[in-house]
Amino acid sequence: MSVSSKVFLVLVCMAMVSALSATRLHAKAWPESDVKAKRVIYEQQQTREDWVLPLGPIERVDGLWQPEQSREFAGDLQRRTLEFDPEQSESAVYAAYRESLVAQGAQTLFSCQGRDCGRSNNWANRFFGIYQLYGREDSQRLSSFRWRSGGKEHFALLYLVRRGNQRIYLQQEWLSRAASDQSAPVLASAEELWKQWRASGVLRLSQSAGQLDENGQLTAEWTRLITEVLHAHPTQQLDAVAHHYDSTQAEAMAGSMLNHVKTALVQAGIAGQRVQTHNLADLAPLKSRPESARLDLLLR
């Protein structure tokens, strides 16, 4: 089987799975998880003007303990702290709640584990203000997310730790605000993007996540970020696969998407032979997705 045929089969199968798990994050506060908490020990909803989304480990910056990098947002905020039984696995708990977001379309902006996150005491007392979140530093897990749905832009974080009494605590925070094309984009770092891309083998870019414009073309911000990753990994080759769902011009529109992304990468210094293009037009079923176009970049 040729490379093109393999890519076609893989992308069609992935698209069918995606169609069955289309995003519904805006319909309920938190998606269900197979791992259930023992109890909710803290829950709050409020409007905030100064909510901080961490994009790096916590450390002393200008004399204050704060994330190495962060962004501040205003919007409607929901927070809750969950407690889990000691016999549960912190990795299993965290994976279940993280995947409930990622599988539905949330983009991971930052993640860390263990001592790479910084001191647990500082997260618990100086950042969250919740003493139950002070625990073993080797058990820490933190991720920050972004996605769009229902005309809103959403940001969320998860922080998990196991305390000395072996109980597991998970902090969930979720802020929603009106989506605006004029607001500065919030992107993962090149290192974080490469980590996620390498782990899954595919970078899925969509209009609903703000990575493609109304014509299905890659935005300038994402072109710069992907170019940075490819320059950092000069031997990496790609298969670019375009999908478009225009009823009369699907193939032509998908072809335009492919031409745009390859031209943009070549103009940014990426050798053209590193990028192979594949036009799937409207062959992959994505009827339940809100966007009319999608671009997949597969590592090869």
Side-chain angles (χ1 to χ4, degrees), residues 109-273:
L109 298 174
F110 169 74
S111 62
C112 63
Q113 183 173 337
R115 292 179 173 83
D116 289 341
C117 297
R119 298 288 299 274
S120 174
N121 175 56
N122 292 324
W123 283 114
N125 297 313
R126 301 177 189 274
F127 187 80
F128 294 113
I130 300 173
Y131 77 89
Q132 288 93 340
L133 297 176
Y134 175 33
R136 289 171 26 196
E137 282 160 13
D138 61 346
S139 72
Q140 292 180 111
R141 287 162 172 81
L142 171 72
S143 292
S144 297
F145 306 89
R146 173 197 177 271
W147 70 97
R148 288 191 179 196
S149 64
K152 291 189 175 182
E153 187 173 29
H154 308 277
F155 300 94
L157 69 83
L158 298 176
Y159 176 77
L160 178 141
V161 72
R162 185 186 288 273
R163 284 176 60 85
N165 61 11
Q166 300 304 310
R167 293 174 183 168
I168 298 170
Y169 290 88
L170 176 69
Q171 181 71 11
Q172 297 177 306
E173 301 198 4
W174 177 335
L175 181 136
S176 299
R177 66 177 187 176
S180 171
D181 293 334
Q182 281 70 50
S183 59
V186 182
L187 305 179
S189 66
E191 295 79 6
E192 181 68 27
L193 179 64
W194 173 246
K195 180 171 65 175
Q196 299 170 36
W197 196 354
R198 184 175 57 180
S200 67
V202 60
L203 177 61
R204 176 161 291 169
L205 305 163
S206 69
Q207 292 172 312
S208 60
Q211 299 149 327
L212 305 179
D213 65 18
E214 66 275 8
N215 296 316
Q217 296 185 348
L218 193 62
T219 65
E221 294 82 6
W222 274 91
T223 299
R224 286 194 293 269
L225 181 57
I226 291 168
T227 300
E228 184 178 350
V229 172
L230 294 179
H231 278 308
H233 303 277
T235 63
Q236 182 64 61
Q237 296 183 324
L238 302 179
D239 285 300
V241 184
H243 311 260
H244 205 283
Y245 300 94
D246 184 284
S247 59
T248 59
Q249 302 184 70
E251 186 172 1
M253 295 297 289
S256 176
M257 291 167 60
L258 292 170
N259 180 66
H260 177 269
V261 69
K262 187 163 184 174
T263 299
L265 293 176
V266 169
Q267 290 178 344
I270 304 301
Q273 60 266 32

Side-chain angles (χ1 to χ4, degrees), residues 283-299:
L283 294 178
L286 288 176
K287 301 305 182 184
S288 58
R289 281 187 173 268
E291 63 265 18
S292 61
R294 199 187 78 234
L295 181 70
D296 296 319
L297 300 181
L298 283 77
L299 298 180

